[in-house]
Amino acid sequence: MFQLTLRRRGISDQAVLRTMEEVPRELFVDEVDREDAYRDSALPIACGQTISQPFVVAYMTEQLQLKKQHRVLEIGAGSGYQAAVLSRLAGQVLTVERYRRLADAARGRLEKLGCHNVEVMLGDGLNLPANIGPFDRIIVTAAMEQIPENLIERLEVGGILIAPVGPHQGVQTLIRLTRGEAGIERKELVDVRFVPALPGVAREL
């Protein structure tokens, strides 16, 4: 039923569908929400954050057109679910989280699942160290009012970046940037709702 729901909503990439089926989503939600883990809706997690609904995870993953040799940057680890999905489709994943509590919990879950190609970093996803990158794919899982230039600069030629862009309170639009030899191609995809991408590392939690 889970895979059927995603198919009905337009997800057609077989590798993405198979991965969504294989990654145990119930391990990435709070215990009180286990029964609703596979419902197609976002769920609350610690630190006022959310785990995205399965369709949005599948859709964003499909749009990345991942290959096994790709190095992927994720901004916003959250519970680690998106990173677990990425880990099965890409070569290396670096996921950055501003909340220590979330980063530590995500790291533990990913290690338990054997996602050894994922590194969880506590840090500011909007102000990364200069020595990080470049990447073949970049995925942002929090709302940005605009995509920072220093993030776009980390994208390899032929690379894809996907991010929800729009007001922090309200509806955003998923934007896909593709870096070609001649420059950046921008495409608007679907409307979504994400929690805000905030600067800095959280002082608590």
Side-chain angles (χ1 to χ4, degrees):
M1 279 301 297
F2 183 57
Q3 197 177 104
L4 186 60
T5 300
L6 294 174
R7 286 178 184 274
R8 283 175 175 163
R9 295 205 61 185
I11 305 300
S12 60
D13 186 304
Q14 293 302 309
V16 172
L17 287 164
R18 187 168 57 249
T19 299
M20 294 292 292
E21 190 79 29
E22 290 172 353
V23 174
R25 185 172 164 91
E26 68 274 11
L27 296 185
F28 294 90
V29 303
D30 290 346
E31 197 167 335
V32 294
D33 291 319
R34 292 269 164 90
E35 287 187 7
D36 294 322
Y38 292 91
R39 195 179 73 203
D40 197 26
S41 62
L43 294 170
I45 58 172
C47 307
Q49 304 301 293
T50 58
I51 176 174
S52 295
Q53 69 187 90
F55 168 72
V56 170
V57 173
Y59 182 82
M60 292 178 77
T61 304
E62 187 175 61
Q63 290 294 321
L64 287 174
Q65 302 169 23
L66 291 165
K67 295 181 180 176
K68 279 294 184 184
Q69 69 269 25
H70 285 159
R71 186 163 185 245
V72 183
L73 170 65
E74 179 191 22
I75 305 298
S79 68
Y81 179 65
Q82 176 73 74
V85 171
L86 296 170
S87 76
R88 302 207 173 200
L89 297 165
Q92 288 181 291
V93 180
L94 172 63
T95 182
V96 182
E97 176 54 56
R98 69 188 299 269
Y99 292 101
R100 183 179 298 278
R101 179 178 170 186
L102 289 179
D104 290 346
R107 191 178 296 112
R109 292 186 188 103
L110 292 162
E111 286 175 0
K112 184 179 177 181
L113 278 179
C115 301
H116 302 306
N117 60 338
V118 181
E119 178 186 351
V120 181
M121 184 179 96
L122 178 68
D124 180 356
L126 300 177
N127 187 24
L128 295 168
N131 63 340
I132 291 180
F135 297 90
D136 303 294
R137 301 290 186 266
I138 298 175
I139 179 171
V140 181
T141 56
M144 296 179 148
E145 292 179 331
Q146 58 184 13
I147 302 172
E149 193 60 38
N150 68 5
L151 204 55
I152 299 171
E153 288 169 357
R154 293 171 201 268
L155 202 57
E156 291 271 25
V157 173
I160 295 172
L161 182 155
I162 188 164
V165 178
H168 281 173
Q169 305 302 323
V171 177
Q172 303 93 35
T173 301
L174 273 184
I175 302 295
R176 186 181 69 198
L177 301 183
T178 305
R179 180 183 288 283
E181 295 287 355
I184 298 291
E185 178 187 329
R186 177 186 173 106
K187 183 175 182 180
E188 294 188 0
L189 301 173
V190 297
D191 288 343
V192 289
R193 283 180 182 269
F194 277 85
V195 295
L198 301 174
V201 175
R203 292 186 180 182
E204 299 177 0
L205 303 177

